[in-house]
Amino acid sequence: IANVPDGSAAAQAGLIPSYRNSDGEIVLGDLIVGIDGENITKSPDLIWALQKHKPGDQVKVKILRDAREIETELTLQALK
């Protein structure tokens, strides 16, 4: 995940973006590996999975964080 805007569904679900630490090193954030039971292995998979839904739909998102799989739910929002 590259960006988690304040107040977004991703922020409310506790998703963590990648960032640079004080030494300038990139620290990887969460990696989305599933949406509603569908495996996500590359960017087009994520796009296809999201196109099946609309803003307001609740989805289960499986993420990889620190080598652990975590599942959370969030309500999709329209892009602003």
Side-chain angles (χ1 to χ4, degrees), residues 52-80:
K52 296 176 184 177
H53 299 281
K54 61 186 183 308
D57 285 353
Q58 190 168 28
V59 296
K60 290 184 181 179
V61 179
K62 187 184 299 184
I63 60 169
L64 187 61
R65 177 185 295 164
D66 299 327
R68 294 180 298 128
E69 282 191 359
I70 300 170
E71 191 167 276
T72 187
E73 290 188 0
L74 59 83
T75 302
L76 297 176
Q77 297 174 318
L79 292 175
K80 296 179 182 184

Side-chain angles (χ1 to χ4, degrees), residues 23-75:
D23 294 328
E25 300 168 328
I26 295 174
V27 177
L28 296 179
D30 294 337
L31 178 65
I32 297 173
V33 296
I35 300 266
D36 279 346
E38 291 187 45
N39 290 331
I40 306 296
T41 59
K42 51 191 178 287
S43 296
D45 295 341
L46 179 60
I47 293 167
W48 282 107
L50 291 175
Q51 285 180 340
K52 296 176 184 177
H53 299 281
K54 61 186 183 308
D57 285 353
Q58 190 168 28
V59 296
K60 290 184 181 179
V61 179
K62 187 184 299 184
I63 60 169
L64 187 61
R65 177 185 295 164
D66 299 327
R68 294 180 298 128
E69 282 191 359
I70 300 170
E71 191 167 276
T72 187
E73 290 188 0
L74 59 83
T75 302

